[in-house]
Amino acid sequence: MTEPVERSTLMTLSSPLLLVVGLLVTAALAWAVVVSARRRTAALAAAGVAVPGGRRAYLGSGLTIAGVAVLAIATAGPAAMVPVPRTAGTVILAIDVSSSMGADDVAPNRLAAAQRAARAFVAAQPDSVDIGVVAFARDGLTTARPDADHSIALKAIDRLKVTGSTSLGTAITASLTAITGKQVVIGRDGTVPDIGYWPSATIVMFSDGQNRGGDIEQAAAVAQKAGVHIHTVGVGTTAGATVQVDGYHLQTSLEEDTLTVIAQTTGGGYHPASDAARLDGIADTIDLRLTVSGEPLPLAGALIGLALALLTAGAALTVLRSGRVI
């Protein structure tokens, strides 16, 4: 899929004011040459001397003025927006921040382990992959939109804190919303929205698999239809641990079966957090798309070279014709 470059961005100037000043100087120089030429012609005519060369006599001056004009444009720092194709993909890190992620069956707790694994995953990705972050408990919240600047995702990961209960279905729809840029919602009657086809996008979900709301199957079906793979990362142990929530002690354990179903439904894979070192391989499953984006190509160097060539040619012609530069 290609994206057109906007016409309004085909050319940029870093210093438009310098261009205005340079063109004014060029105009003044051109005016001075014209006035000087007219006076010289009038003086020769008054003396009864024919003006030699006609318009060709002023070719050297014209080239010199053209060189000054091109140099004025170069000083303004022009850059052409050139369409550059590149492969790119999108990864959404959906990280569980529900109360059960405060369990300490993995050190120091599940959320901290998920953050550590997520950071390692981000560090392994190339610049061609845009990374976003979605924190989810009962509701999903996009804390960092997909961006090629991975430091934004890392900062979002560092800000996460434990809160609320878990909804894996909401985690999926919130991640799809971050991918498409449009709200993705399962209908009350169970209808599944058509969000198009996004084979270049992948969701990596870090969770203990405990679900307290939302239809996982329907949400996973939306992702599967859109071509979005979901890789799940199980955080915790099957033996589990006890966490305190609102004054109550609750037993919580890793539910691998739930995370495995989500991954298999969408064509992804399940990965234990203890095996986080192997998460780098997930990037190989992303179907990178071909995009075309405008990138600035500085033109100052080429214009300066052209200006020097015009100035040199103008000076040479003028010297050969009259023995003077202008």
Side-chain angles (χ1 to χ4, degrees):
M1 186 173 111
T2 60
E3 299 173 356
V5 178
E6 296 291 337
R7 286 185 181 273
S8 60
T9 60
L10 289 179
M11 180 74 72
T12 61
L13 295 174
S14 61
S15 303
L17 182 59
L18 288 179
L19 175 62
V20 174
V21 173
L23 292 180
L24 288 175
V25 171
T26 303
L29 179 60
W31 178 81
V33 169
V34 170
V35 170
S36 176
R38 286 178 178 176
R39 289 177 178 175
R40 180 171 178 269
T41 300
L44 291 175
V49 179
V51 180
R55 293 183 179 180
R56 288 180 299 175
Y58 303 104
L59 179 59
S61 297
L63 289 175
T64 300
I65 294 172
V68 173
V70 172
L71 191 61
I73 298 173
T75 58
M81 298 303 292
V82 180
V84 178
R86 73 182 187 106
T87 54
T90 299
V91 173
I92 299 298
L93 302 181
I95 302 177
D96 190 348
V97 293
S98 63
S99 299
S100 61
M101 292 294 285
D104 60 1
D105 50 348
V106 290
N109 59 48
R110 294 177 184 175
L111 178 57
Q115 290 172 305
R116 182 170 60 246
R119 290 190 205 97
F121 177 82
V122 171
Q125 305 314 305
D127 294 340
S128 58
V129 175
D130 294 342
I131 300 179
V133 178
V134 168
F136 69 92
R138 184 65 180 178
D139 298 313
L141 173 66
T142 301
T143 60
R145 297 188 180 280
D147 199 291
D149 184 354
H150 296 173
S151 66
I152 297 175
L154 291 172
K155 291 177 182 177
I157 292 169
D158 291 340
R159 290 194 300 265
L160 300 180
K161 297 186 182 301
V162 170
T163 179
S165 59
T166 314
S167 175
L168 297 179
T170 299
I172 296 173
T173 55
S175 297
L176 293 173
T177 296
I179 290 170
T180 62
K182 299 180 180 179
Q183 191 70 29
V184 178
V185 180
I186 306 295
R188 292 185 177 181
D189 57 354
T191 55
V192 176
D194 183 0
I195 63 173
Y197 197 59
W198 300 80
S200 62
T202 297
I203 300 171
V204 182
M205 180 185 294
F206 297 82
S207 176
D208 55 20
Q210 299 206 358
N211 185 51
R212 297 295 180 266
D215 194 321
I216 299 175
E217 290 77 12
Q218 289 179 324
V222 176
Q224 189 274 333
K225 184 179 179 180
V228 178
H229 294 174
I230 301 178
H231 291 269
T232 55
V233 181
V235 186
T237 63
T238 54
T242 301
V243 292
Q244 185 172 343
V245 181
D246 297 330
Y248 296 92
H249 292 278
L250 302 178
Q251 177 67 22
T252 174
S253 60
L254 173 63
E255 297 184 9
E256 294 183 298
D257 291 344
T258 302
L259 297 175
T260 300
V261 168
I262 293 173
Q264 291 179 344
T265 300
T266 61
Y270 170 72
H271 311 264
S274 58
D275 201 18
R278 298 185 183 180
L279 291 178
D280 298 351
I282 296 175
D284 297 334
T285 69
I286 302 173
D287 183 10
L288 299 180
R289 72 188 186 280
L290 179 66
T291 64
V292 177
S293 58
E295 294 188 7
L297 175 65
L299 301 176
L303 290 175
I304 290 174
L306 175 60
L308 290 175
L310 290 171
L311 291 170
T312 301
L317 287 175
T318 301
V319 169
L320 290 174
R321 183 183 64 85
S322 63
R324 54 192 181 88
V325 176
I326 295 180

